Every structure is written in C-alpha cells, then in structure tokens.
Amino acid sequence: VSRDWSSDVCSSDLNWIIADGKARVQIGDSVSIMRAGAGVQVPRRAVHRLANAGRSPLVIIEVQRGTRLDEKDIVRLADDHGR
C-alpha cells in the first residue's frame, strides 16, 4: 500500500471502483470503508491511499482519464512495497 499524491503536472482524473471485498480508502484526512459496488473519485493533487480492510481479497478497478496516463507524476509519500 502506498500513500501518494499526483504532482502539479497531473493531467488525469483517478477513480477507484470496489469490485469485490472491503477497502479502506483515505483521501486527504478523510478515511472511509467501502464495499463492493462503491466507487470514489480521487481529486487531482489529493493525498490518497487504498488498503484491504477485510479478510478476503480486495479487487478494485482503477480508471484514469486524461492526456497523460502513466505514473511519472506520482509522488510516493509512503510505500509498503518499496516502489
């Protein structure tokens, strides 16, 4: 799990859709638990984090829309996977 924000050059919108399981979603200082069927839009330049909040696997669909769809604009503030 990483804690990221998209830099000022970010030109895409980010959406997460919970396909299965239960997710802990943090956007800024707001933390919520979301279940399958729920979705959230991550505002540009917002600090955000997503984690599995259940015992079963978490399946998400991440949708990016915009002119730049790579990860070169991501600033990783914390990363449990060493990326």
Side-chain angles (χ1 to χ4, degrees):
V1 177
S2 65
R3 185 167 181 251
D4 308 328
W5 73 282
S6 298
S7 71
D8 290 337
V9 298
C10 178
S11 60
S12 65
D13 293 313
L14 177 65
N15 291 276
W16 288 326
I17 301 158
I18 311 305
D20 197 20
K22 185 167 66 170
R24 179 182 183 275
V25 176
Q26 179 179 1
I27 300 174
D29 292 329
S30 176
V31 177
S32 58
I33 301 297
M34 301 180 77
R35 290 179 167 69
V40 64
Q41 182 174 354
V42 179
R44 292 182 190 188
R45 293 181 290 282
V47 174
H48 53 282
R49 187 173 191 149
L50 177 76
N52 188 348
R55 294 182 183 200
S56 62
L58 172 63
V59 179
I60 67 159
I61 300 167
E62 181 175 283
V63 179
Q64 275 187 298
R65 295 181 321 268
T67 58
R68 183 176 181 176
L69 301 177
D70 57 30
E71 295 194 355
K72 293 180 181 175
D73 63 342
I74 294 175
V75 177
R76 299 215 188 268
L77 303 173
D79 189 354
D80 297 348
H81 301 288
R83 291 173 286 178

